[in-house]
């Protein structure tokens, strides 16, 4: 098992390298770059002096180098004008739009984004698991039909709309401040238990809103998986050995139906990150989503590339977690299909 | 004394307002300490009967009559009257009646160890500790013939061989010490030698544990070897019941006799097999007299295919050495000749067929195809030559359910080969489709229907018709009847014999069933672990086999004949002894046309 985990971790390295190259290429795909746009703007305003500064910046940030070299400098595999100062060295780059290092732009947002996504994934599973189970126990029953209706509703209602409605209720009933993940009182306060509690309270609504659509899909999936499993010969065989129904269900079909359910963690994360952008904008959440939107529009290369890479890392981590859980659940993954006896 | 007696058991499956009768007033007894065989073809209701006794019928099943369990452990108990979800039937399941399934791989959860699934049965019925349950499981694994019970306990089902898996299944059924064992086709998925071992095991367990066994099967060979009593079920009704000796000796019932005669036998080689119910189309092939003259003239005796020292190995999944699927296999097929290829699962038969179809490229050796006096290396064929080769060699798959596209009409299925090879216009294709459907004995109206509306046997006819579309010179049949009932198998085998007589093409007939191969083949090659160990004319092989493996196969093949029962004790002993052919790949010709791979010792022996 440990060997499997290590192998799986090592396999992430080439995946990350490939993804980072791809991201860098995609971000640079639109013609021109941030500085070229700025030059145009300065020239239209007739400011010659600014143009000279831009030329300096162009060299400073290696925009005059070929693509692969720029990538290597960004990644920290190749020395730039100031030696090695890329991702591998912990330098996240410079944001032109905010005129600050990327690290300062993002700051707390990274942690909050990870937190929001984690909370959402947990919520998806907390909702989908019991509901899916109950729906599968009595197909066509009250829970099944109710869950189906709710999931369609969750898919059909635009999430930002739902978010606003929920938020206004929450404000009216619980006195939660609208927008943001932190109350104004704690915005600049150092981390404390009270602040953490405040953040958690603010997390519930966005997490619920983002989770709802995914949870609907997951409920349907778990239900279908379970219904597939309950009629398999091995379940009948266990029943024929006199195993009680409750134990039978949890021990056999549930464990097997759980596998594809878990395998979805990896797929869930990226869709949550992209799906949460619009909710984050509407609710003014301090996540990386709105920043990514701004960075992409302004061709802020390093900022956009870094955020995308961060999303990719989240996804890979999710896949790693789901693979490890799968290996725990299913010996065939762990041992391969090799006969031992 | 009956451990289990079925009285007027009637079973209906309801769907909405309609009901289908699966069992109709079935009555018989399972005697204490005896093996009672319940025989019938698929759809006869025999498995439903087994499920009924266990209270495992689905919700829409309506059961009437009584199933009385009287094993001496409690007052007689009517199982049919118990609540299917209640505690009392749960105490019966596993505790008083054990159930063994046909396919042990799917009847075990793949994600739990074999041992945990066995011990669980013990703990479901007795309040014992984990350690005690484990000890009991180890004991029962030893009893069912596991060489290393502790290792078997911790193994996952997919890590075990088919035979061990079925032994584990039996162990799980016996873990809570039932008095009755219901075995539903327990050996159907197994190779013949393994089947014989499992039958020997059941017989031994019956004596050691005093079990009463209800053996559900379609195989009269198995019945003849092990059953004390016999019940024949046909379309939900009991046709015949009595002691096995009586039924085999003096049965007058036409259904039982037909079932017996439909079984291909090693002992009496016959021209045609008896068929039950369905039409027998001797005429169909006669209608197909217009075979092209070219084929006729070439059809006699000339060389067609030479397989020369072909080897192929597949890399092992992880670590370990690569497994040789084929090891220097040589085999020739003459024009119009029917060659049987026999071997157990994993012996490499299907890989050899795939090499012939050019779906697998051999690592070494070559396949020569003789056409108009010239030999072509099949591996080197390209473009039009390859297309021609593919027209000359056709393939029929084992599973007729999977081999036909359910969304293509039979007409489209049959004319597709013409479209692929760009042969004939629309009119010509229509004519050929009608010829082909006539040839395999199906009505022309079948052309406009779709595969799902046909039975297994009819589908196999369609698959054969498609294979014949391009008038091949070699037809490769990979277990074409092993998914079919005996009586349907008889029809298909007769059809194949007729077709060959009329059209004169060659067969490579692959099967694990010696009886079937003997029936259709002129010459038989026996494969074991990627090697051909013996090759001889069919008539000779079954009476003068020299290789110990061939002898073991023949000894283990059950016959539907009480006077030729399997010697289960000898088979069990042989299985534990094993043999080694010392890696001899060279076949020694001991008689004209009879070649044997002999261990070096044996060769010296033969020379001396």
């Amino acid at each position: 098992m440990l060997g499997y985990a290590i192998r799986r971790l090592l396999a992430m390295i080439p995946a990350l390298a490939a993804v980072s190259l791809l991201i860098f290429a995609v971000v640079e795909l639109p013609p021109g770059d941030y500085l070229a746009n700025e030059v145009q703007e300065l020239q239209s305003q007739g400011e010659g002096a600014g143009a000279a500064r831009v030329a300096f910046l162009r060299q400073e940030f290696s925009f005059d180098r070929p693509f692969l070299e720029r990538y290597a400098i960004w990644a920290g595999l190749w020395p730039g004008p100031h030696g090695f100062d890329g991702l591998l060295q912990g330098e996240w780059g410079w944001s032109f739009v905010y005129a600050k290092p990327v690290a300062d732009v993002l700051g707390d947002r990274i942690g909050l984004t990870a937190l929001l996504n984690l909370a959402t994934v947990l919520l998806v599973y907390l909702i989908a698991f019991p509901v899916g189970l109950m729906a599968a126990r009595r197909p066509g029953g009250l829970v099944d039909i109710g869950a189906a209706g709710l999931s369609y509703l969750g898919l059909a209602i635009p999430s930002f709309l739902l978010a606003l409605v929920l938020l206004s209720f929450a404000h009216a009933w619980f006195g939660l401040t609208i927008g943001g993940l932190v109350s104004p009182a704690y915005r600049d306060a150092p981390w404390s238990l009270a602040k953490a509690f405040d953040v958690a309270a603010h997390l519930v609504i966005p997490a619920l809103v983002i989770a709802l659509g995914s949870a609907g899909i997951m409920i349907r999936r778990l239900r279908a998986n379970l219904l597939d499993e309950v009629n398999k010969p091995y379940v009948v065989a266990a029943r024929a050995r006199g195993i009680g129904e409750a134990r039978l269900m949890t021990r056999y079909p549930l464990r097997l139906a759980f596998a594809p359910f878990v395998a979805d963690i990896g797929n869930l994360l990226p869709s949550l990150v992209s799906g949460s952008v619009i909710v984050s904008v509407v609710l003014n959440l301090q996540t990386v989503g709105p920043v990514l939107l701004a960075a992409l529009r302004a061709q802020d290369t390093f900022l956009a590339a870094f955020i995308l890479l961060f999303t990719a890392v989240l996804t890979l981590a999710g896949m790693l977690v789901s693979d490890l859980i799968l290996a725990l659940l299913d010996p065939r993954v762990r041992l391969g299909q090799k006969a031992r006896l | 004394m009956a451990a289990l007696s079925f009285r007027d058991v009637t079973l209906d499956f309801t769907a909405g307002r309609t009901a289908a009768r699966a069992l109709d007033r079935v009555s018989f007894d399972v005697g204490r300490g005896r093996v009672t065989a319940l025989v019938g073809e698929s759809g006869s209701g025999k498995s439903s009967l087994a499920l009924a006794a266990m209270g495992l019928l689905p919700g829409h099943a309506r059961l009437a009559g009584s199933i009385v369990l009287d094993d001496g452990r409690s007052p007689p108990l009517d199982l049919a009257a118990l609540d299917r979800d209640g505690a009392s039937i749960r105490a019966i399941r596993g505790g008083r009646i054990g159930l063994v399934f046909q396919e042990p791989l799917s009847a075990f959860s793949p994600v739990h160890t074999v041992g945990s699934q066995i011990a669980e049965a013990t703990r479901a019925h007795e309040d014992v500790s984990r350690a005690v349950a484990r000890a009991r499981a180890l004991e029962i694994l030893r009893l069912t013939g596991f060489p290393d019970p502790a290792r078997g306990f911790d193994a996952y089902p997919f890590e075990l061989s088919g035979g061990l898996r079925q032994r584990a299944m039996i162990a799980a059924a016996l873990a809570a010490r039932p008095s009755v064992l219901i075995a539903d086709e327990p050996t159907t998925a197994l190779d013949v030698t393994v089947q014989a071992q499992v039958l020997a095991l059941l017989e031994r367990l019956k004596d050691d544990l005093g079990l009463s066994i209800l053996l559900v099967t379609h195989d009269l060979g198995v019945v003849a070897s092990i059953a004390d009593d016999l019940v024949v079920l046909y379309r939900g009704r009991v046709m015949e019941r009595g002691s096995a000796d009586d039924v085999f000796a003096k049965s007058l019932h036409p259904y039982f006799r037909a079932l017996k005669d439909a079984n291909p036998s090693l002992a009496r080689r016959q021209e045609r097999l008896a068929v039950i119910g369905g039409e027998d189309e001797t005429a169909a092939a006669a209608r197909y007299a217009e075979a092209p003259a070219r084929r006729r003239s070439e059809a006699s005796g000339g060389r067609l295919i030479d397989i020369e020292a072909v080897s192929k190995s597949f890399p092992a999944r992880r670590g370990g050495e690569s497994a040789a699927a084929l090891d220097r296999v040589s085999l020739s097929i003459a024009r119009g000749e029917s060659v049987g290829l026999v071997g157990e699962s994993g012996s490499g038969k299907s890989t050899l067929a795939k090499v012939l179809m050019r779906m697998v490229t051999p690592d070494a050796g070559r396949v020569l195809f003789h056409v108009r006096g010239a030999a072509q290396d099949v591996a080197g064929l390209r473009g039009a030559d390859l297309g021609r080769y593919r027209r000359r060699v056709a393939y029929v798959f084992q599973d007729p359910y999977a081999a036909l596209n359910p969304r293509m009409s039979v007409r489209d299925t049959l004319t597709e080969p013409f479209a692929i090879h760009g042969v004939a216009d629309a009119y010509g294709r229509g004519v050929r489709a009608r010829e082909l459907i006539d040839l395999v004995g199906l009505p022309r109206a079948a052309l406009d229907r779709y595969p799902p509306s046909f039975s297994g046997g009819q589908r196999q006819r369609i698959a054969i018709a498609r294979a014949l579309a391009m008038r091949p010179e070699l037809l490769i049949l990979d277990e074409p009847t092993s998914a079919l009932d005996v009586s349907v198998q008889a029809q298909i085998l007769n059809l194949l014999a007729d077709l060959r007589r009329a059209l004169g093409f060659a067969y490579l007939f692959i099967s694990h069933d010696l009886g079937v191969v003997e029936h259709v083949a002129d010459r038989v090659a026996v494969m074991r672990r990627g090697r051909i160990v013996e090759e001889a004319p069919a008539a000779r092989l079954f009476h003068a086999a020299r290789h110990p493996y061939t002898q073991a196969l023949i000894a283990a093949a059950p016959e539907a004949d009480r006077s030729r029962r399997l010697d289960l004790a000898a088979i069990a002993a042989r299985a534990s002894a094993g043999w080694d052919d010392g890696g001899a790949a060279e076949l020694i010709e001991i008689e004209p046309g009879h070649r044997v791979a002999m261990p070096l010792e044996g060769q010296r022996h033969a020379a001396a």
Side-chain angles (χ1 to χ4, degrees):
Chain A
M1 188 65 207
L2 189 67
Y4 177 80
I6 292 172
R7 269 202 309 279
R8 210 34 209 75
L9 261 175
L10 288 179
M12 275 177 69
I13 294 174
L16 260 183
V19 166
S20 64
L21 183 61
L22 203 66
I23 285 173
F24 199 72
V26 169
V27 167
E28 290 221 332
L29 210 53
D33 52 51
Y34 179 80
L35 291 175
N37 294 345
E38 191 162 295
V39 168
Q40 245 171 14
E41 206 158 305
L42 288 173
Q43 277 170 348
S44 69
Q45 292 163 12
E47 290 204 22
R53 193 177 65 84
V54 167
F56 166 73
L57 284 177
R58 177 174 295 279
Q59 202 197 347
E60 183 75 8
F61 291 105
S62 317
F63 279 108
D64 49 350
R65 301 304 176 101
F67 167 76
L68 275 179
E69 194 179 334
R70 285 201 307 277
Y71 166 73
I73 293 171
W74 173 65
L77 298 166
W78 196 260
H82 304 286
F84 288 96
D85 56 354
L87 294 176
L88 288 177
Q89 287 77 35
E91 292 294 328
W92 296 359
W94 180 265
S95 163
F96 301 109
V97 175
Y98 293 88
K100 282 200 280 195
V102 169
D104 293 350
V105 175
L106 294 177
D108 273 358
R109 283 171 185 263
I110 290 279
L112 285 175
T113 307
L115 193 65
L116 179 65
N117 280 305
L118 192 69
T120 309
V121 170
L122 278 180
L123 208 60
V124 167
Y125 282 82
L126 279 180
I127 297 172
F129 190 67
V131 177
L133 198 62
M134 284 190 284
R137 254 175 59 89
R138 281 186 213 294
L142 206 63
V143 179
D144 189 19
I145 292 170
L150 269 184
S151 8
Y152 294 140
L153 223 61
L155 284 173
I157 298 178
S159 49
F160 66 90
L161 190 68
L162 189 64
L164 284 177
V165 172
L166 282 180
L167 210 57
S168 68
F169 278 123
H171 181 63
W173 295 343
F174 306 114
L176 270 181
T177 46
I178 295 182
L181 277 172
V182 193
S183 302
Y186 292 107
R187 184 150 299 155
D188 298 314
W191 280 96
S192 65
L193 207 63
K195 181 175 176 178
F197 186 76
D198 183 68
V199 169
H202 279 85
L203 263 178
V204 173
I205 284 174
L208 192 68
V209 167
I210 302 169
L212 213 56
S214 307
I217 297 170
M218 295 297 261
I219 289 171
R220 309 305 297 167
R221 188 160 299 164
L222 180 65
R223 175 185 176 278
N225 291 344
L226 263 177
L227 287 180
D228 267 359
E229 289 295 328
V230 288
N231 291 321
K232 292 267 177 79
Y234 71 90
V235 181
V236 180
R239 196 171 284 136
R241 290 196 290 270
I243 314 301
E245 279 308 299
R247 182 177 160 75
L248 190 76
M249 276 298 160
T250 46
R251 188 167 143 92
Y252 295 109
L254 193 57
R255 178 156 164 191
L256 279 140
F258 205 52
F261 189 64
V262 168
D264 272 342
I265 296 178
N267 300 332
L268 200 56
L269 273 170
S271 71
L272 288 183
V273 171
S274 50
S276 67
V277 170
I278 191 158
V279 175
S280 294
V281 172
V282 170
L283 298 182
N284 188 25
L285 301 180
Q286 305 296 307
T287 65
V288 296
V291 179
L292 172 63
L293 201 62
L296 282 174
R297 288 213 317 232
Q299 280 191 279
D300 195 346
T301 315
F302 301 125
L303 185 60
F306 181 79
I307 295 175
L308 287 174
L309 189 62
F310 168 70
T311 316
V313 170
L314 268 190
T315 308
L316 284 175
M319 289 195 161
L320 176 69
V321 170
S322 73
D323 277 3
L324 291 183
I325 297 179
L326 276 184
L328 275 179
L329 281 175
D330 194 337
R332 288 171 295 185
V333 175
R334 239 178 304 149
L335 303 173
Q337 295 271 10
K338 228 176 88 189
R340 206 166 56 180
L341 281 174
Chain B
M1 282 264 256
L4 201 58
S5 38
F6 296 81
R7 285 292 170 273
D8 290 325
V9 174
T10 299
L11 176 67
D12 293 297
F13 287 108
T14 56
R17 240 175 275 162
T18 60
R21 182 143 293 191
L23 294 172
D24 192 6
R25 282 164 292 144
V26 171
S27 301
F28 68 94
D29 290 339
V30 179
R32 281 196 201 170
R34 293 174 74 83
V35 177
T36 304
L38 183 60
V39 187
E41 296 183 87
S42 45
S44 62
K46 52 193 197 310
S47 292
S48 301
L49 204 59
L51 292 179
M54 303 291 279
L56 289 174
L57 290 169
H60 62 284
R62 255 200 345 259
L63 185 66
S66 69
I67 304 172
V68 175
L69 175 68
D70 181 18
D71 57 0
R73 293 191 195 173
S74 74
L77 185 63
D78 183 4
L79 304 176
L82 295 177
D83 174 16
R84 277 178 220 163
D85 297 321
S88 35
I89 189 72
R90 206 154 64 230
I92 302 290
R93 295 176 189 156
R96 304 277 286 280
I97 306 179
L99 185 54
V100 174
F101 291 82
Q102 172 173 359
E103 197 9 276
L105 186 58
S106 57
F108 271 124
S109 155
V111 300
H112 298 87
T113 59
V114 168
S116 76
Q117 297 182 66
I118 296 172
E120 165 190 69
T122 308
R123 278 163 63 88
H125 294 280
E126 289 168 60
D127 188 18
V128 293
S129 71
R130 235 166 236 284
V132 172
R134 182 186 158 91
R136 283 267 290 278
L138 290 178
E139 178 197 322
I140 194 85
L141 282 173
R142 189 173 302 113
L143 202 62
T144 50
F146 264 73
D148 184 350
R151 205 164 147 195
F153 187 94
D154 291 323
Y156 289 97
F158 60 86
E159 296 178 295
L160 299 177
S161 67
L164 278 183
R165 248 182 244 144
Q166 194 54 287
R167 284 168 195 268
M169 189 80 238
I170 294 171
L174 295 178
R177 299 181 172 158
S179 54
V180 178
L181 186 69
I182 300 179
D184 189 355
E185 303 269 7
T187 60
T188 306
L190 304 175
D191 285 324
V192 274
T193 52
V194 182
Q195 160 169 291
Q197 290 163 29
V198 170
L199 292 178
L201 171 67
L202 286 176
E203 186 136 88
R204 182 164 59 76
L205 289 173
K206 179 192 75 172
D207 296 337
D208 291 357
L209 305 177
L211 285 175
S212 316
I213 297 180
L214 175 61
L215 180 73
V216 180
T217 181
H218 71 276
D219 188 338
L220 279 180
V222 168
V223 175
S225 293
I226 176 170
D228 301 313
D229 299 309
L230 176 57
V231 181
V232 182
L233 210 57
Y234 180 64
R235 297 196 180 161
R237 289 165 187 246
V238 172
M239 294 286 119
E240 187 120 39
R241 62 167 183 256
S243 87
D245 287 325
D246 281 355
V247 176
F248 270 96
K250 10 184 155 124
S251 169
L252 294 174
H253 202 290
Y255 177 68
F256 181 77
R257 287 220 315 268
L259 205 56
K260 208 171 133 202
D261 291 341
N263 235 19
S265 158
L266 292 182
R268 51 189 164 84
R269 195 181 153 103
Q270 68 242 65
E271 245 330 273
R272 298 187 68 73
L273 296 165
V275 289
I276 300 169
E279 68 153 325
D280 189 18
E281 52 297 310
T282 330
R287 258 175 278 159
Y288 199 75
E290 66 230 57
R294 173 182 68 85
R295 188 63 36 79
R296 287 279 175 73
S297 63
E298 280 188 353
S300 48
R303 289 159 77 185
L304 181 61
I305 288 253
D306 288 324
I307 300 166
E308 293 181 349
V310 163
S311 294
K312 174 75 190 174
S313 53
F314 294 104
R317 223 166 255 268
R318 185 182 300 156
E321 71 284 13
S322 61
L326 295 175
D327 186 5
R328 287 160 289 166
V329 169
S330 299
L331 187 67
S332 297
I333 303 171
R335 286 186 189 283
E337 187 185 26
S338 173
V339 175
L341 190 58
V342 186
E344 306 203 322
S345 43
S347 61
K349 329 184 276 293
S350 291
T351 309
L352 190 63
K354 284 179 186 157
V355 167
L356 281 179
M357 292 302 294
R358 254 194 56 159
M359 294 191 290
V360 165
T361 314
D363 300 335
R366 58 181 185 164
V367 178
L368 291 181
F369 183 67
H370 299 276
V371 53
R372 289 188 209 93
Q376 295 177 324
D377 186 348
V378 169
L381 295 179
R382 296 281 179 275
D385 284 339
L386 182 58
R388 258 196 301 282
Y389 177 74
R390 291 210 193 282
R391 287 207 291 276
R392 287 163 189 269
V393 178
Y395 194 90
V396 176
F397 292 86
Q398 170 174 4
D399 184 354
Y401 292 89
L404 298 173
N405 184 343
R407 288 180 189 79
M408 264 168 88
S409 71
V410 172
R411 186 190 307 279
D412 290 344
T413 303
L414 293 184
T415 52
E416 192 187 26
F418 297 96
I420 291 170
H421 292 287
V423 181
D425 54 12
Y427 176 76
R429 287 174 193 177
V431 171
R432 280 291 285 155
R434 283 194 293 279
E435 276 175 25
L436 288 167
I437 209 77
D438 289 349
L439 195 59
V440 294
L442 288 175
R444 289 191 178 183
L447 285 172
D448 295 314
R449 286 158 62 196
Y450 288 80
S453 65
F454 294 95
S455 70
Q458 289 170 326
R459 287 187 206 206
Q460 199 58 294
R461 285 171 194 263
I462 296 167
I464 290 170
R466 179 177 59 182
L468 294 179
M470 287 294 120
R471 298 194 161 113
E473 286 162 53
L474 174 65
L475 194 57
I476 301 174
L477 300 139
D478 193 352
E479 305 262 10
T481 60
S482 57
L484 307 174
D485 271 329
V486 203
S487 60
V488 181
Q489 164 173 295
Q491 294 172 21
I492 296 291
L493 293 179
N494 286 343
L495 172 68
L496 288 172
D498 292 342
L499 288 175
R500 189 162 79 95
R501 205 172 307 116
L503 303 178
F505 44 69
Y507 281 146
L508 177 62
F509 194 100
I510 299 173
S511 179
H512 69 280
D513 187 329
L514 288 168
V516 169
V517 168
E518 198 217 15
H519 183 73
V520 296
D522 304 328
R523 200 152 53 83
V524 179
V526 180
M527 274 190 93
R528 176 171 179 259
R529 295 191 188 158
R531 297 201 183 120
I532 288 181
V533 295
E534 186 155 12
E535 188 191 325
R540 184 178 162 77
L541 183 74
F542 295 100
H543 300 109
R546 286 293 293 275
H547 196 278
Y549 181 69
T550 317
Q551 290 168 349
L553 276 183
I554 293 172
E559 290 275 337
D561 183 349
R562 279 299 264 187
S563 61
R564 301 173 59 89
R565 303 167 67 162
L566 294 181
D567 187 353
L568 295 176
I571 289 161
R574 197 200 295 263
S576 52
W579 59 83
D580 184 20
D581 44 16
E586 288 300 317
L587 293 168
I588 314 288
E589 185 148 36
I590 56 169
E591 287 277 328
H594 188 169
R595 302 188 299 150
V596 189
M598 281 213 241
L600 292 173
E601 308 245 320
Q603 285 176 30
R604 264 185 241 118
H605 227 65

